[in-house]
Amino acid sequence: MAHVTVWNEYRHEQQSDEVAEVYPDGIHSTIADFLSDDHDVTTATLEEPEHGLPEAVIEETDVLLWWAHLAHDEVEDAIVERVHERVLEGMGLIVLHSGHYSKIFKRLLGTTCSLQWREDDGTERLWVVDPGHPIVDGIGEYIELPETEMYGEPFDIPEPDRLVFTSWFEGGEVFRSGCCYRRGSGKIFYFRPGHETIPIYENPEIQRVLENAVDWATPNEGAPRTFGNRE
Amino acid sequence: MAHVTVWNEYRHEQQSDEVAEVYPDGIHSTIADFLSDDHDVTTATLEEPEHGLPEAVIEETDVLLWWAHLAHDEVEDAIVERVHERVLEGMGLIVLHSGHYSKIFKRLLGTTCSLQWREDDGTERLWVVDPGHPIVDGIGEYIELPETEMYGEPFDIPEPDRLVFTSWFEGGEVFRSGCCYRRGSGKIFYFRPGHETIPIYENPEIQRVLENAVDWATPNEGAPRTFGNRE
Amino acid sequence: MAHVTVWNEYRHEQQSDEVAEVYPDGIHSTIADFLSDDHDVTTATLEEPEHGLPEAVIEETDVLLWWAHLAHDEVEDAIVERVHERVLEGMGLIVLHSGHYSKIFKRLLGTTCSLQWREDDGTERLWVVDPGHPIVDGIGEYIELPETEMYGEPFDIPEPDRLVFTSWFEGGEVFRSGCCYRRGSGKIFYFRPGHETIPIYENPEIQRVLENAVDWATPNEGAPRTFGNRE
Amino acid sequence: MAHVTVWNEYRHEQQSDEVAEVYPDGIHSTIADFLSDDHDVTTATLEEPEHGLPEAVIEETDVLLWWAHLAHDEVEDAIVERVHERVLEGMGLIVLHSGHYSKIFKRLLGTTCSLQWREDDGTERLWVVDPGHPIVDGIGEYIELPETEMYGEPFDIPEPDRLVFTSWFEGGEVFRSGCCYRRGSGKIFYFRPGHETIPIYENPEIQRVLENAVDWATPNEGAPRTFGNRE
């Protein structure tokens, strides 16, 4: 049973009544809830000491989920460094929605991770472009979200190892909304949905994708990563 | 100056008044016309002996463009074999629109190259998802085509080496509409637009993409491809 | 428990005393033996009706292993077609050693799959270049084979999705000896070792790699592969 | 004519008589020399103000070459940031030998870029594994270097977009020694040879590879990289 840590900035929920109504206990609690059926889940947030990610926690984590938006800069570099090292050693990382601008995602990918966006409440369809991928097990040909914020191309990321979802937006844009990478021994999945004012993490299809993604990103044994002087 | 051969099935134009009005001399002539400014261009069609692609022509060709729809099965296997070999040796290949179902494209990619489609005359926007690619030199953030046939995901192709365009369709679909591959020493570009009833190859942006694609696909010198017993 | 079919041409073993001594019941039996601990394994050979791969067998197979050398051309196109379709639908395929020249491998990859080779009985070291990959679970930094035939670059294959092993040969060559691909929903792994005069499939590390590869290539559920007219 | 800047740490040459004998004017001068035939070349070194890379220089540079070993940590973060931004906007970057551990390379790739190494003066053969790539125009099937330091796998890098060279080392190791990436609009090439005590940059084949790499990495026009709020 994989050890999952759900990290959330947890600001919107405390600052906005609108968001608090959607996620009264925070986005992290909602996600932790549905993942708890099959995984050993804990949560962590920005305001906790070491952002809730002391070494002991990171050491034990198989897969880390990351939601953030307002306070990317407040995440301490030392914690980013710690997470970065663990990903290279094999910990899975699932970056959600506005987490595309987090320090850890930019650090792992090496690009700006910039994109275009618009708050317009239009419909989004996440088309499955890689129907053979385990992250879409049990999903239909697309997931439709009736109201979402728009994220549009260009998305300044390295070409994904596998592109799993591409979103269609009512307003005329497209977006690579489900992207897989490997860095070191760690698997990384970026998944676009998750705007804080809409209960997207209550959607059973979105939940299924995240459950699948946790399974996919769980570390395997691998071979030794031995570096240095070879006398 | 690259030697370019524009191959066209050339059936629709002779069978349908509607198509003949759009392309009175055939799609190949329209394409050959605008490519002739900077390249040495000839055309070839299905009904010619050896489909207009005898060995001497294929030997001399740097980049081959391929439009086809109704008669994929009438293309002789020996000619497909000849084109296939030349691509692996370095000849560029640009596959247009319904050419996704051609023998040569399926042979090079190894998959069914199937997709979803609908004739609905809605708007298409080809978003540039790889703004650094030479194939989009001089193009804006997207190309808008007011009326097109829809092609939708899933598109059964190997993950492209580089995905350059992704299309948004008014009716609710997306499609990987500009895909780059290399097979052997040959560069391959699939480009979606080109429905026969719409004068898409008159569009200056589409023309610019194809000019760029010809330049990109032109062979370079490379290193020896030496195979066999190494005593 | 995955259904595994081990396919072997089974010619060398019947034509050569030297090979028969190494693999008295055929390469397929040796491979089937060690895979049987954790999988439901059957074998099939060239001389059987439909090469031992009638539709019922292919339908039931989760992962197919393929060893061949002398008689690639004797494999009927209809059977290749059948295997090809099943791979695209999700069946895993593990291609062994001289199977690089099989019809099915060339068809799936779209290139000549040519290489350089020399029978010289030198040492080979298969270096793990992707220590995070599940195919190398439990393997050290390299696998050393004291005597092997040499396979050298260039290897005319599409750039692998993941390169897992690269071989060093005593005589001065290198080779991409463990290559992962996906085509349609099917996972494909090419693994170089397996010269018929050397008991390489008795080597516990080689066995471990093949066991891992079977697990990796076992199909998952995925999303629908729906193609055609979308009215 | 591309503007090329050759950056060198320039420490070994001033601290070691052995190195000074091989590169009396510094590695940068030797490289600048042979690139000057076809390019507009300048050099820059660590000790210069802003490491010789003020904004005006970086703005003007089409392709930057980077050699470093002893003093990676002395490169100021602000300069790394400046180079990083320019690469994403399109400037080519060629990272040489021990530059694999430079801040800029690690930042662009997102991994540790660690490897194994040994000073043993054995022979290296750089095999061309991608004979169709423009970086190997005019090169044979391999480049042999009679005496080199060894770099061995695992090399902790993201899977290259294209792997062009793989090295064989007399002592029993292999290494992915010529790796292509794109990040943002910038092309990146890592090329292994270049140990400071051996006149490797005098080798005409090595020079040819670097000339090809400069041509390959020279920016093209591309499409707009527009990010942000799309109202």
Side-chain angles (χ1 to χ4, degrees):
Chain A
M1 196 181 252
H3 292 254
V4 176
T5 302
V6 182
W7 193 89
N8 182 16
E9 185 184 279
Y10 198 29
R11 281 276 166 88
H12 281 294
E13 300 93 325
Q14 303 190 64
Q15 292 179 354
S16 150
D17 288 348
E18 186 192 0
V19 179
E21 222 163 285
V22 180
Y23 293 112
D25 301 315
I27 285 174
H28 52 294
S29 302
T30 300
I31 295 174
D33 247 33
F34 70 79
L35 289 179
S36 293
D37 292 347
D38 295 307
H39 303 95
D40 177 15
V41 185
T42 55
T43 64
T45 57
L46 182 66
E47 300 302 338
E48 295 173 52
E50 303 186 56
H51 310 321
L53 301 172
E55 276 209 16
V57 166
I58 285 295
E59 286 292 298
E60 286 294 298
T61 300
D62 292 311
V63 181
L64 176 66
L65 291 93
W66 195 274
W67 198 104
H69 184 213
L70 299 172
H72 296 308
D73 286 349
E74 295 178 38
V75 178
E76 283 169 40
D77 289 339
I79 305 301
V80 176
E81 182 73 21
R82 184 182 291 165
V83 172
H84 184 242
E85 273 176 29
R86 264 293 285 152
V87 170
L88 299 183
E89 285 165 8
M91 181 180 73
L93 178 69
I94 299 173
V95 175
L96 298 168
H97 192 60
S98 43
H100 71 91
Y101 258 149
S102 61
K103 287 182 180 178
I104 183 61
F105 193 56
K106 291 192 291 183
R107 171 127 186 203
L108 279 159
L109 295 199
T111 53
T112 66
C113 302
S114 294
L115 45 79
Q116 303 205 62
W117 57 277
R118 184 177 56 238
E119 291 208 49
D120 69 356
D121 296 338
T123 294
E124 173 180 11
R125 273 191 191 175
L126 293 117
W127 282 90
V128 173
V129 301
D130 186 4
H133 203 281
I135 283 180
V136 295
D137 279 0
I139 300 299
E141 59 182 1
Y142 59 80
I143 298 172
E144 184 155 320
L145 302 175
E147 283 183 88
T148 50
E149 186 187 16
M150 185 282 289
Y151 276 15
E153 295 282 343
F155 186 16
D156 185 28
I157 49 172
E159 187 93 9
D161 294 349
R162 299 295 303 182
L163 177 63
V164 180
F165 288 103
T166 295
S167 284
W168 173 95
F169 290 94
E170 199 178 348
E173 289 84 8
V174 297
F175 191 71
R176 288 171 290 171
S177 48
C179 300
C180 296
Y181 294 95
R182 187 123 68 70
R183 290 298 181 263
S185 293
K187 294 191 195 111
I188 303 163
F189 181 58
Y190 173 77
F191 192 48
R192 196 207 85 84
H195 193 51
E196 63 278 4
T197 59
I198 305 158
I200 275 168
Y201 297 117
E202 310 278 5
N203 180 313
E205 287 172 301
I206 297 297
Q207 293 183 356
R208 180 70 198 270
V209 169
L210 291 179
E211 282 160 355
N212 291 341
V214 165
D215 290 342
W216 170 81
T218 297
N220 54 287
E221 180 184 357
R225 286 166 46 86
T226 309
F227 306 112
N229 195 340
R230 184 178 181 79
E231 289 301 348
Chain B
M1 196 182 254
H3 292 255
V4 177
T5 301
V6 182
W7 192 89
N8 182 15
E9 187 183 276
Y10 198 30
R11 280 277 166 87
H12 281 294
E13 300 93 326
Q14 302 190 66
Q15 292 180 353
S16 151
D17 288 349
E18 187 192 2
V19 179
E21 223 164 284
V22 180
Y23 294 112
D25 301 314
I27 285 173
H28 52 293
S29 302
T30 300
I31 294 174
D33 248 33
F34 70 78
L35 288 179
S36 294
D37 293 346
D38 295 307
H39 304 95
D40 177 15
V41 185
T42 56
T43 65
T45 58
L46 181 67
E47 300 301 339
E48 295 173 51
E50 303 186 58
H51 311 321
L53 300 172
E55 277 212 13
V57 166
I58 285 294
E59 286 292 298
E60 287 294 299
T61 300
D62 293 312
V63 182
L64 176 66
L65 291 93
W66 196 274
W67 198 103
H69 184 212
L70 298 172
H72 296 307
D73 285 349
E74 295 178 39
V75 178
E76 284 169 39
D77 288 339
I79 306 300
V80 176
E81 181 73 22
R82 184 181 292 165
V83 172
H84 185 241
E85 274 175 29
R86 265 292 285 151
V87 170
L88 298 183
E89 286 165 7
M91 182 179 73
L93 178 70
I94 299 173
V95 175
L96 298 169
H97 191 61
S98 44
H100 72 91
Y101 258 148
S102 62
K103 286 182 181 178
I104 183 61
F105 193 56
K106 290 192 290 184
R107 171 126 186 204
L108 279 159
L109 296 199
T111 53
T112 66
C113 302
S114 294
L115 45 78
Q116 303 205 63
W117 57 275
R118 184 178 57 236
E119 292 209 49
D120 69 355
D121 296 340
T123 295
E124 174 180 10
R125 274 191 190 174
L126 294 117
W127 282 90
V128 173
V129 299
D130 186 4
H133 203 282
I135 283 181
V136 295
D137 279 359
I139 300 300
E141 59 182 0
Y142 59 80
I143 298 172
E144 185 155 319
L145 301 175
E147 283 182 88
T148 50
E149 186 188 15
M150 184 282 289
Y151 275 15
E153 295 284 344
F155 186 15
D156 186 28
I157 49 173
E159 186 93 10
D161 294 349
R162 298 296 305 182
L163 177 63
V164 180
F165 288 103
T166 295
S167 285
W168 173 94
F169 290 94
E170 199 178 347
E173 289 85 8
V174 298
F175 191 71
R176 287 170 291 171
S177 49
C179 301
C180 296
Y181 293 95
R182 187 124 67 71
R183 290 297 180 265
S185 293
K187 293 192 195 112
I188 302 162
F189 182 57
Y190 173 76
F191 192 48
R192 198 207 84 84
H195 193 51
E196 63 278 1
T197 59
I198 304 158
I200 274 167
Y201 297 118
E202 310 278 7
N203 179 313
E205 286 172 301
I206 298 296
Q207 293 183 356
R208 179 69 198 269
V209 168
L210 290 179
E211 283 161 354
N212 291 341
V214 166
D215 291 342
W216 170 81
T218 298
N220 53 287
E221 181 184 357
R225 284 166 47 86
T226 310
F227 306 113
N229 196 341
R230 182 178 183 78
E231 289 300 349
Chain C
M1 198 183 254
H3 291 254
V4 176
T5 301
V6 181
W7 193 89
N8 182 15
E9 186 183 275
Y10 197 29
R11 281 276 166 88
H12 281 294
E13 300 93 324
Q14 303 190 64
Q15 291 179 356
S16 150
D17 288 350
E18 187 192 0
V19 179
E21 221 163 285
V22 179
Y23 294 112
D25 302 314
I27 285 173
H28 51 294
S29 303
T30 300
I31 294 174
D33 248 33
F34 69 78
L35 289 179
S36 295
D37 292 346
D38 295 307
H39 304 94
D40 176 15
V41 185
T42 56
T43 64
T45 57
L46 181 65
E47 300 301 339
E48 296 173 51
E50 303 186 57
H51 310 322
L53 300 172
E55 277 210 15
V57 166
I58 285 295
E59 285 292 298
E60 286 294 299
T61 300
D62 292 312
V63 182
L64 177 66
L65 290 94
W66 197 274
W67 197 103
H69 184 212
L70 299 173
H72 297 307
D73 286 349
E74 295 178 39
V75 178
E76 285 169 39
D77 288 340
I79 306 301
V80 175
E81 182 72 23
R82 183 181 292 165
V83 173
H84 184 241
E85 274 176 29
R86 265 291 286 151
V87 170
L88 299 183
E89 285 165 8
M91 182 180 73
L93 178 69
I94 299 172
V95 175
L96 298 168
H97 191 60
S98 44
H100 71 91
Y101 257 148
S102 61
K103 287 183 181 178
I104 183 61
F105 193 57
K106 292 192 289 184
R107 170 125 186 205
L108 279 160
L109 296 199
T111 54
T112 66
C113 303
S114 294
L115 46 77
Q116 303 204 63
W117 57 276
R118 184 177 57 238
E119 293 209 47
D120 68 356
D121 297 339
T123 295
E124 173 180 10
R125 274 192 191 175
L126 293 117
W127 281 91
V128 173
V129 300
D130 186 4
H133 203 282
I135 284 181
V136 294
D137 279 0
I139 301 299
E141 57 182 2
Y142 60 81
I143 298 172
E144 184 155 320
L145 301 175
E147 283 182 87
T148 51
E149 186 186 16
M150 185 281 290
Y151 276 15
E153 296 282 343
F155 186 16
D156 186 29
I157 49 172
E159 187 93 9
D161 294 349
R162 299 296 305 181
L163 178 63
V164 180
F165 288 103
T166 295
S167 284
W168 173 94
F169 290 94
E170 199 178 347
E173 290 84 7
V174 297
F175 191 71
R176 288 171 290 172
S177 48
C179 300
C180 296
Y181 293 96
R182 187 123 68 72
R183 290 297 181 264
S185 293
K187 294 191 194 113
I188 302 162
F189 181 58
Y190 173 77
F191 192 47
R192 197 207 84 84
H195 193 52
E196 63 277 3
T197 59
I198 305 157
I200 275 169
Y201 297 118
E202 311 278 7
N203 179 315
E205 287 172 301
I206 298 296
Q207 293 184 355
R208 179 71 198 268
V209 169
L210 291 178
E211 283 161 354
N212 291 341
V214 166
D215 291 341
W216 171 81
T218 298
N220 53 287
E221 181 183 356
R225 285 166 46 87
T226 310
F227 305 113
N229 196 340
R230 183 180 182 78
E231 290 300 348
Chain D
M1 196 180 253
H3 291 256
V4 176
T5 302
V6 182
W7 193 88
N8 182 14
E9 185 183 279
Y10 198 30
R11 281 276 166 87
H12 280 295
E13 300 94 325
Q14 302 190 66
Q15 292 179 353
S16 150
D17 287 349
E18 186 191 0
V19 180
E21 221 163 287
V22 180
Y23 294 113
D25 302 313
I27 285 174
H28 53 293
S29 303
T30 300
I31 294 175
D33 247 33
F34 70 77
L35 288 179
S36 294
D37 292 346
D38 296 308
H39 304 94
D40 177 15
V41 185
T42 55
T43 64
T45 58
L46 181 66
E47 301 300 338
E48 295 173 52
E50 302 185 57
H51 310 321
L53 300 173
E55 277 210 16
V57 166
I58 284 296
E59 286 292 298
E60 286 294 298
T61 300
D62 292 311
V63 182
L64 176 67
L65 291 94
W66 195 274
W67 198 103
H69 184 212
L70 299 172
H72 296 308
D73 286 348
E74 295 178 39
V75 178
E76 285 170 37
D77 288 339
I79 306 300
V80 175
E81 182 72 22
R82 182 181 292 164
V83 172
H84 184 241
E85 274 175 29
R86 265 292 286 151
V87 170
L88 298 183
E89 285 165 8
M91 182 179 73
L93 177 69
I94 299 173
V95 174
L96 299 169
H97 192 60
S98 43
H100 71 91
Y101 258 148
S102 62
K103 286 182 180 178
I104 183 62
F105 193 57
K106 291 192 291 183
R107 170 126 186 203
L108 279 159
L109 296 199
T111 53
T112 66
C113 302
S114 294
L115 45 77
Q116 302 205 63
W117 57 276
R118 184 178 56 238
E119 292 207 50
D120 69 354
D121 296 338
T123 295
E124 174 180 10
R125 275 192 189 175
L126 293 117
W127 282 91
V128 173
V129 300
D130 186 4
H133 202 281
I135 283 181
V136 295
D137 280 359
I139 300 299
E141 59 182 359
Y142 59 79
I143 299 172
E144 185 155 320
L145 302 175
E147 283 183 88
T148 50
E149 186 188 17
M150 185 282 290
Y151 275 16
E153 295 282 345
F155 186 16
D156 186 28
I157 49 173
E159 187 93 10
D161 294 349
R162 299 294 306 181
L163 177 63
V164 180
F165 288 103
T166 295
S167 284
W168 173 96
F169 290 93
E170 200 179 349
E173 289 85 8
V174 297
F175 192 71
R176 288 171 290 172
S177 49
C179 301
C180 296
Y181 294 95
R182 188 125 67 71
R183 290 298 181 263
S185 293
K187 294 192 194 111
I188 302 162
F189 181 57
Y190 173 76
F191 192 47
R192 197 207 84 83
H195 194 50
E196 63 278 2
T197 58
I198 305 158
I200 273 168
Y201 296 118
E202 310 278 6
N203 180 313
E205 287 173 301
I206 298 297
Q207 293 183 355
R208 180 71 198 269
V209 169
L210 290 179
E211 282 160 355
N212 291 341
V214 165
D215 291 342
W216 170 81
T218 297
N220 53 287
E221 180 183 356
R225 285 166 46 87
T226 310
F227 305 113
N229 196 341
R230 184 178 181 78
E231 289 300 348

